Amino acid sequence: QTFTEARMMVINFPKPFVDEMNEYIDNTIIPNDEDYSHSLVGQIRQNEKSKQLNFSLEGNEYVEQLKKVLDNCGSTFVQKGYKRESVATSFEAWTVHSYAGDYNPLHEHSTPTYAGLSGFMWLKLPDEMMERQLNRGKHKVDFNTTTGQYDGWNHIIWGLGSKSDLYRLKLPCEEYVQPAIGTMCIFPKWLHHQVMPFYGSGERRSLGMNWNVIESQSELEKIMAPAEY
């Protein structure tokens, strides 16, 4: 499914899939402890277990099968969401292990190809965050309270605007996305996004990933002028 004017693809994976991924991270990724923070903007440092770790997409059967799933999801998004005769191929992934006070500032991603996709998948949430889960569609963003409802949420922005613009028939240009375990969001790499800080005990774990978008010759002919082609 897609939501927001920015075209975001949302995929919900079953619990066994998430459990298997968390087991692999616990038994392989965390023990390997390959720091990936030098390539990321996350301010993940408040706890001794706060980390951003490389999640290689090659080297064993499990991650190679996972890469096939990611490639299929990315290609489906490009082909169905954008009607492009192109394919997406994932080339990097990383885990983010956030604890109280950790956050990601507003940023966008980059890929070697001109068009590219980015995404994140929630794998674990602190108990306090789970207790404050809202039924999407039956709530509105309300920052005039001090309940901490939106702590740890993802904030995505695809334009400039203000609340008054809504009365002037302009479309919204931002969205606060509630984390849900097993949900993966895919979006174009230019989409600005951030993760709000949160407080309390427990780990907020997610997997981030990027895809190259490989254009077909027929797609390039559609986009380019004859001289460019």
Side-chain angles (χ1 to χ4, degrees):
Q1 68 182 62
T2 61
F3 71 89
T4 79
E5 294 302 314
R7 291 186 181 172
M8 177 180 286
M9 183 176 183
V10 181
I11 306 116
N12 297 308
F13 289 93
K15 187 177 185 299
F17 183 95
V18 177
D19 290 343
E20 186 177 18
M21 182 171 289
N22 277 321
E23 182 179 359
Y24 180 78
I25 291 170
D26 288 334
N27 296 333
T28 303
I29 300 301
I30 293 178
N32 285 347
D33 199 26
E34 186 178 344
D35 181 45
Y36 209 61
S37 60
H38 61 277
S39 298
L40 307 170
V41 303
Q43 299 301 300
I44 314 298
R45 67 183 193 280
Q46 298 295 330
N47 188 293
E48 62 179 12
K49 295 185 289 185
S50 297
K51 293 179 181 292
Q52 298 174 101
L53 302 175
N54 181 40
F55 189 108
S56 176
L57 295 175
E58 57 184 22
N60 60 62
E61 183 178 356
Y62 174 75
V63 295
E64 289 169 2
Q65 289 299 318
L66 176 61
K67 176 174 165 50
K68 290 181 181 179
V69 172
L70 295 178
D71 290 353
N72 182 57
C73 291
S75 295
T76 298
F77 182 38
V78 171
Q79 294 164 12
K80 301 285 188 179
Y82 290 89
K83 309 300 181 184
R84 285 204 178 194
E85 298 172 3
S86 309
V87 296
T89 175
S90 54
F91 67 91
E92 67 176 341
W94 59 93
T95 57
V96 182
H97 307 266
S98 300
Y99 291 83
D102 290 332
Y103 68 98
N104 287 70
L106 190 66
H107 66 286
E108 61 183 2
H109 289 200
S110 61
T111 63
T113 54
Y114 195 72
L117 301 176
S118 299
F120 49 76
M121 179 179 182
W122 297 291
L123 298 172
K124 280 187 178 183
L125 295 174
D127 290 340
E128 292 93 336
M129 200 177 296
M130 294 293 291
E131 291 168 359
R132 292 195 298 265
Q133 290 268 303
L134 296 178
N135 185 0
R136 183 172 176 80
K138 295 184 178 180
H139 77 280
K140 61 181 180 180
V141 174
D142 182 7
F143 287 113
N144 295 326
T145 67
T146 57
T147 61
Q149 178 61 63
Y150 305 102
D151 291 356
W153 282 39
N154 291 63
H155 181 210
I156 60 175
I157 303 173
W158 58 95
L160 298 176
S162 65
K163 185 177 180 180
S164 62
D165 287 333
L166 301 179
Y167 299 104
R168 298 164 56 202
L169 305 182
K170 288 189 176 182
L171 296 175
C173 57
E174 65 176 337
E175 176 98 21
Y176 284 87
V177 185
Q178 177 173 239
I181 294 174
T183 296
M184 180 168 71
C185 299
I186 305 177
F187 46 89
K189 68 177 183 180
W190 54 259
L191 186 65
H192 284 84
H193 56 287
Q194 63 183 336
V195 178
M196 311 299 285
F198 69 95
Y199 301 92
S201 60
E203 177 187 6
R204 182 191 187 280
R205 178 183 294 182
S206 61
L207 180 75
M209 66 287 287
N210 285 323
W211 292 257
N212 283 319
V213 172
I214 312 300
E215 310 285 11
S216 64
Q217 293 298 310
S218 59
E219 191 63 45
L220 291 176
E221 287 186 65
K222 296 177 188 175
I223 298 170
M224 293 180 173
E228 293 176 305
Y229 183 74

